[in-house]
Amino acid sequence: MFGFLNKLKGIELCSPLTGEAVELSGVPDPVFAEKMVGDGIAIKPTSGTVVAPCDGKVVQIFPTNHAVGIETSTGLDLLIHIGIDTVELKGDGFKRLVEEGMSVKKGQPILEVDLKRIEELGKSIVSPFIITNADEVEFKEYKTGGVQAGETVVLVLKKKK
């Protein structure tokens, strides 16, 4: 009924993690820092619960559970990548709470991550949150600073025509 309001404000995506949102340029990996995968932000998490940033469908979970792909109803492809080089941990410290093909609601827990374990194993916990088809949107707003998982809007986007 009030769908026109979303078009005025834009597409809002909440933080998938609680912690501190930082610009991608601060990610200690050039693939993310130089936006080779897409555009977005990163989170320095203080809690290991990863939630859906919006309503959507889980289209991919890596076998190591360190990254999740979500497709939104508006056609955005989102990547939540927990930590840097965490694929090398082969799943140690990660627990999936959803499966590929499942629909998720904003704020729904999708992964549990043992942040302390990841750091003990020598990996950065800085977690990129990327729009992989960023060429299809205009970024209207980025939020940095303190964020709450599933609550704080960190990206406001507008689909290109």
Side-chain angles (χ1 to χ4, degrees):
M1 179 172 169
F2 294 103
F4 68 92
L5 289 176
N6 192 37
K7 289 181 181 143
L8 292 175
K9 289 170 50 179
I11 301 163
E12 296 183 342
L13 300 174
C14 290
S15 179
L17 290 152
T18 294
E20 180 186 357
V22 296
E23 293 184 16
L24 278 182
S25 60
V27 174
D29 182 329
V31 171
F32 292 110
E34 295 173 17
K35 302 180 183 179
M36 293 179 203
V37 179
D39 202 350
I41 60 159
I43 311 294
K44 293 179 181 177
T46 56
S47 168
T49 301
V50 182
V51 304
C54 60
D55 294 353
K57 180 179 178 182
V58 177
V59 293
Q60 183 176 21
I61 301 178
F62 286 74
T64 54
N65 298 324
H66 77 286
V68 177
I70 296 175
E71 183 180 298
T72 71
S73 61
T74 57
L76 293 180
D77 295 323
L78 312 179
L79 173 66
I80 304 166
H81 190 285
I82 308 305
I84 301 301
D85 295 330
T86 48
V87 67
E88 297 169 5
L89 302 180
K90 298 183 175 141
D92 191 354
F94 297 90
K95 178 183 176 187
R96 79 171 62 184
L97 304 176
V98 296
E99 296 297 331
E100 286 181 13
M102 287 180 63
S103 292
V104 291
K105 295 286 185 191
K106 180 181 84 169
Q108 177 180 341
I110 56 176
L111 292 174
E112 283 293 334
V113 182
D114 185 340
L115 299 174
K116 186 176 178 185
R117 177 75 178 144
I118 292 170
E119 288 182 314
E120 285 171 355
L121 294 169
K123 302 299 179 192
S124 170
I125 59 172
V126 173
S127 300
F129 174 39
I130 306 292
I131 314 302
T132 60
N133 58 343
D135 56 329
E136 297 179 17
V137 293
E138 295 174 23
F139 286 75
K140 293 174 68 178
E141 185 179 327
Y142 294 83
K143 159 94 168 100
T144 57
V147 293
Q148 291 293 315
E151 296 178 18
T152 308
V153 174
V154 291
L155 295 172
V156 180
L157 313 163
K158 178 182 170 190
K159 286 283 266 186
K160 290 182 181 175
K161 294 181 181 184

